Amino acid sequence: MPGRTHLALAVTLALGAAVIGSSAAEAAPGHIARPLDATLRDAAGKRVGVLRAEDEGQATRITVSVWGLSAGFHGFHVHTTGRCDAGAVDPATGSPFTTAGGHLDLAMPGGHGAHAGDLPALLVGQNGTARASFVTDRFRVAQLADADGSAVVIHALPDNYGNIPSRYTHPADTTGTTGADATTLKAGDTGNRIACGVLH
Ligand SMILES: [Cu+2]
Ligand SMILES: [Zn+2]
């Protein structure tokens, strides 16, 4: 029995050391955050993809796999809020998942294309699948795990990243604006949200 007591004590000490070690690591500047995962679901609740976000150097690696989508490019972004409510529909566009909020911007100026959460578009093949792995230095994992969380969203249409060359500029509108309009600067004309996943 003394042996068992010693074992229990050793385990307790080891656990204590692990807890102290992890809190010290979290306090250290530039620490590596725990990776975040997301399951992407469409508005009917069907699983259509998985994603991981993990720190890599001073940047973040995103690794994503999706299936069951229509072929072609799909706009793909990190949105500000970790809530994917399919019943939250935008009355103006009919798009679900309004609870995910707008694009994660981390106060970066310049509108869509310059948002922190703007990601390379997903290229879905004829078999409905896409896989991608890339690095962005516009956010770190810890910035995704803020108080209200974050979500990844796939859109119905390709993304123009706010790139509207001057030969396409519209006549000045009522606000005197030419070039990319408010819709383009918000989400690159990517259309409705077709899948959403909470990062956790
Ligand atoms: Cu989006
Ligand atoms: Zn954007």
Side-chain angles (χ1 to χ4, degrees):
M1 288 326 258
R4 184 165 296 184
T5 307
H6 282 131
L7 179 62
L9 181 61
V11 168
T12 306
L13 288 172
L15 286 173
V19 169
I20 290 165
S22 81
S23 58
E26 261 159 38
H31 82 280
I32 302 299
R34 177 180 68 80
L36 297 177
D37 292 311
T39 298
L40 288 142
R41 293 181 186 276
D42 67 14
K46 193 170 60 127
R47 261 174 104 242
V48 295
V50 291
L51 176 143
R52 169 162 278 203
E54 55 199 326
D55 281 330
E56 184 170 303
Q58 294 305 306
T60 298
R61 176 169 293 277
I62 302 286
T63 305
V64 59
S65 177
V66 300
W67 54 87
L69 300 182
S70 60
F73 283 110
H74 289 267
F76 183 43
H77 320 118
V78 179
H79 286 236
T80 57
T81 308
R83 273 197 67 195
C84 293
D85 182 352
V89 174
D90 181 343
T93 63
S95 180
F97 304 124
T98 60
T99 48
H103 293 185
L104 181 73
D105 70 6
L106 300 179
M108 290 181 181
H112 182 66
H115 294 139
D118 295 344
L119 302 177
L122 291 176
L123 176 53
V124 176
Q126 292 299 325
N127 65 0
T129 74
R131 285 194 298 156
S133 180
F134 54 85
V135 170
T136 174
D137 66 356
R138 292 185 177 187
F139 56 81
R140 303 293 305 279
V141 170
Q143 292 172 292
L144 304 178
D146 62 349
D148 66 0
S150 303
V152 283
V153 171
I154 302 173
H155 290 257
L157 302 174
D159 194 329
N160 62 25
Y161 297 98
N163 177 28
I164 307 296
S166 58
R167 68 183 182 278
Y168 296 112
T169 57
H170 60 73
D173 63 16
T174 52
T175 65
T177 303
T178 61
D181 67 10
T183 301
T184 297
L185 289 174
K186 200 168 150 199
D189 303 294
T190 50
N192 285 1
R193 303 173 181 193
I194 60 169
C196 187
V198 175
L199 284 154
H200 46 195

